[in-house]
Amino acid sequence: MNNKTLAILKPDCIKKNLIGKVTAQIQDAGFKVLGMKMIRLTPDAAKGFYEVHNGKVFFDNLIEYMTSGPCVPIALERENAVEEFRKLIGATDPAKAEEGTIRKLYADSIQENIVHGSDSNENAAKEISHFFSRKELLEINGL
Ligand code: ADP
Ligand code: MG
């Protein structure tokens, strides 16, 4: 599978009323939305999602931020989805992100950086299944 990735519009994106603008930029870049919902992460769910960062200095703040308000996970489809989506969002630190990328345009800091994108095909599959069951994705897309 190299045609799917998971985006999450993070709490700062929702607080700044940017759901529409960011989603439009994603769709304009050729991504098809397969699934989209608004959720509130519990601390345990946020810790599970970011388990790879457990123990890092920014971990506790990251969990606090990700649970501070609603998030919008979006399952996306496009050729070479993981890599193309990472290009579209830009570097983790918006100060280092390329002009025109979503993080460069809208993010305030390395922590509050508007959007998540999966970093490998393997993680994309795992992360999509965190928020959307296979059955649910098939059903909502009419298959
Ligand atoms: P990315 O989201 O670009 O894949 P990482 O997986 O390295 O970045 O980190 C996950 C999230 O943790 C980042 O998007 C950001 O919200 C937060 N983060 C990463 N590095 C830092 C840092 N040095 N200081 C504060 N928050 C950070
Ligand atoms: Mg990452």
Side-chain angles (χ1 to χ4, degrees):
M1 183 194 89
N2 72 346
N3 65 341
K4 292 193 182 64
T5 193
L6 180 81
I8 304 177
L9 308 185
K10 296 181 175 183
D12 53 325
C13 181
I14 283 73
K15 280 185 195 127
K16 290 165 122 177
N17 266 349
L18 290 170
I19 295 174
K21 279 197 175 129
V22 172
T23 306
Q25 191 165 346
I26 293 169
Q27 292 183 301
D28 288 348
F31 290 88
K32 180 178 167 192
V33 173
L34 297 177
M36 184 173 193
K37 56 179 74 160
M38 183 174 269
I39 54 110
R40 181 76 177 252
L41 284 171
T42 62
D44 280 348
K47 285 177 196 165
F49 187 80
Y50 279 121
E51 183 54 35
V52 66
H53 296 303
N54 199 341
K56 294 188 184 161
V57 285
F58 60 82
F59 186 71
D60 289 351
N61 285 337
L62 175 62
I63 301 310
E64 198 172 314
Y65 156 56
M66 290 299 292
T67 57
S68 68
C71 285
V72 175
I74 311 175
L76 293 168
E77 182 176 74
R78 207 209 113 132
E79 204 177 297
N80 204 13
V82 166
E83 195 183 329
E84 291 298 327
F85 193 71
R86 299 284 310 195
K87 271 194 229 160
L88 180 70
I89 67 179
T92 308
D93 182 353
K96 296 183 181 146
E98 286 198 35
E99 289 300 328
T101 59
I102 292 172
R103 283 167 166 170
K104 180 73 174 186
L105 283 166
Y106 301 119
D108 287 336
S109 70
I110 190 167
Q111 177 177 283
E112 304 219 345
N113 60 5
I114 297 286
V115 63
H116 167 84
S118 308
D119 64 5
S120 68
N121 292 330
E122 193 191 348
N123 284 338
K126 273 192 217 154
E127 291 178 0
I128 288 171
S129 68
H130 254 85
F131 299 105
F132 304 95
S133 72
R134 199 180 158 75
K135 182 167 174 277
E136 179 183 20
L137 284 179
L138 288 173
E139 279 173 7
I140 61 187
N141 289 290
L143 297 169

